[in-house]
Amino acid sequence: MKSSNSDNGQMDTGTVALSLRQLSVADWQRFGAQEIAYIRPVLVNGVHAMAIHAADGTPIGAAPNADMAIAAILQHEMAPALVH
């Protein structure tokens, strides 16, 4: 991941999102399932929801929308990532 720091020392959201999209499955697994969770849209019984998966792909939950999925991930002290 290239370092594209803003004035506050953090990477901007666009750069982070682009970098995360370019990671392979093996890269995600090296991050560790205990540190990062990703969400992606799914249909559950015909209803739109957000599936929550550990970095290694293990399903760990679901939520009715992205905001609630992200809140659940943060509550468990993990870093959220959106996959589409």
Side-chain angles (χ1 to χ4, degrees), residues 37 39 52 60-63 65-78 80:
I39 62 174
I52 304 170
I60 57 176
N65 58 53
D67 289 338
M68 291 186 76
I70 290 169
I73 291 167
L74 293 172
Q75 183 177 10
H76 288 90
E77 298 180 0
M78 298 175 81

Side-chain angles (χ1 to χ4, degrees), residues 38 40 51-62:
Y38 67 88
R40 63 182 193 82
I52 304 170
H53 296 267
D56 67 357
T58 303
I60 57 176

Side-chain angles (χ1 to χ4, degrees), residues 3-84:
S3 179
S4 174
N5 293 342
S6 63
D7 292 337
N8 67 3
Q10 295 182 357
M11 296 178 71
D12 68 76
T13 304
T15 301
V16 172
L18 178 61
S19 296
L20 291 175
R21 284 191 202 109
Q22 295 173 352
L23 293 175
S24 69
V25 172
D27 290 332
W28 276 109
Q29 290 174 338
R30 279 191 286 274
F31 273 123
Q34 302 302 316
E35 299 168 11
I36 295 176
Y38 67 88
I39 62 174
R40 63 182 193 82
V42 294
L43 278 176
V44 178
N45 296 326
V47 177
H48 292 278
M50 297 302 288
I52 304 170
H53 296 267
D56 67 357
T58 303
I60 57 176
N65 58 53
D67 289 338
M68 291 186 76
I70 290 169
I73 291 167
L74 293 172
Q75 183 177 10
H76 288 90
E77 298 180 0
M78 298 175 81
L82 177 62
V83 177
H84 16 162

